[in-house]
Amino acid sequence: MNDDQIDELEVLQSIYEDDTNFKKIADTSYCYKFICDDNEYKSFMLQVTWPKEYPEEEPAIIDLDSFFNSHIKEEEKEVMLNKIKSQYEDWMGMAMTFSIVNHVLDNLEEFRDVIKNENVVEREEKEAILLEKTKKHVHLETTKGLTKGQKRRFYDKFGNIDADDKPRGWNWVDVIKHLNKTKDV
């Protein structure tokens, strides 16, 4: 860390010392959670990472790729990042982490409007349909080499993906009938 980064870190710690939404992830990486109490799908987390030459030569790297943001579509993330990066020219050459967070807080409703709730439901439905389609293409080799308990959990999670989606144990009745017929022989 260079001197400018150390100074910025001290300033950030003094500003956000009581704010539970601000977290230090690593020496040069920080995140801020923008929580929406009304709708959890409107909440998001912005991560700011400082490159080696930050702030003099390189701007901070911002991303929304954390697991906390898994409900946001990639296109929506791009729009949100572009809104922030449009302000980069004003902040070049200076400490910008506080400016980034403050800009998002000032325009929070605009950022939340980018996130569409309907798309979350639609995306989950599409993923469920896609999962059903891929289940038909998976072969029995996916369970080869698994223990009995692992196979049971696999079947509980994915169902019987082989044998044309017949229920587990569908042919046990035939085995029992056969054993009943052969027990007297």
Side-chain angles (χ1 to χ4, degrees):
M1 285 179 62
N2 60 38
D3 291 339
D4 291 334
Q5 291 176 353
I6 293 170
D7 292 343
E8 184 174 1
L9 175 59
E10 289 174 5
V11 169
L12 290 173
Q13 286 175 338
S14 67
I15 293 171
Y16 296 116
E17 80 180 279
D18 293 332
D19 192 345
T20 58
N21 293 325
F22 185 80
K23 298 280 184 213
K24 178 180 177 181
I25 299 172
D27 285 341
T28 59
S29 189
Y30 306 90
C31 68
Y32 194 92
K33 287 183 184 178
F34 299 92
I35 305 294
C36 181
D37 295 329
D38 301 336
N39 185 346
E40 69 182 55
Y41 290 113
K42 295 286 186 174
S43 299
F44 61 96
M45 183 171 70
L46 179 71
Q47 184 172 338
V48 179
T49 305
W50 300 341
K52 201 173 211 173
E53 300 299 320
Y54 170 83
E56 293 299 321
E57 297 175 25
E58 295 181 67
I61 300 167
I62 54 172
D63 70 58
L64 295 165
D65 293 332
S66 68
F67 180 75
F68 189 81
N69 298 331
S70 61
H71 62 283
I72 304 173
K73 291 175 71 173
E74 287 301 317
E75 301 85 39
E76 296 167 353
K77 289 179 186 179
E78 281 300 314
V79 170
M80 295 169 74
L81 290 174
N82 289 335
K83 284 183 179 214
I84 297 169
K85 289 179 180 177
S86 68
Q87 302 294 316
Y88 264 25
E89 283 186 29
D90 298 336
W91 303 327
M92 279 305 280
M94 61 181 239
M96 63 172 67
T97 305
F98 174 75
S99 301
I100 291 170
V101 172
N102 200 38
H103 173 70
V104 175
L105 285 170
D106 290 344
N107 301 296
L108 194 55
E109 285 309 311
E110 282 181 43
F111 285 96
R112 286 191 174 142
D113 289 342
V114 171
I115 305 169
K116 308 285 187 234
N117 284 338
E118 313 84 60
N119 293 338
V120 173
V121 174
E122 290 172 13
R123 185 171 60 244
E124 288 175 353
E125 289 173 356
K126 287 178 186 176
E127 288 173 357
I129 291 169
L130 183 64
L131 179 65
E132 287 298 319
K133 287 180 182 177
T134 57
K135 280 188 352 184
K136 293 177 182 176
H137 298 296
V138 177
H139 298 290
L140 185 60
E141 288 85 30
T142 55
T143 59
K144 188 175 183 180
L146 297 178
T147 66
K148 187 175 181 181
Q150 290 171 327
K151 286 180 184 178
R152 186 179 316 114
R153 285 190 295 277
F154 179 84
Y155 284 120
D156 289 343
K157 186 173 183 179
F158 297 109
N160 190 7
I161 58 174
D162 53 330
D164 298 322
D165 286 324
K166 294 177 183 170
R168 184 171 178 228
W170 66 274
N171 58 354
W172 294 354
V173 175
D174 294 336
V175 172
I176 294 171
K177 284 182 185 177
H178 173 72
L179 290 174
N180 281 337
K181 289 180 184 176
T182 59
K183 79 173 184 181
D184 295 332
V185 177

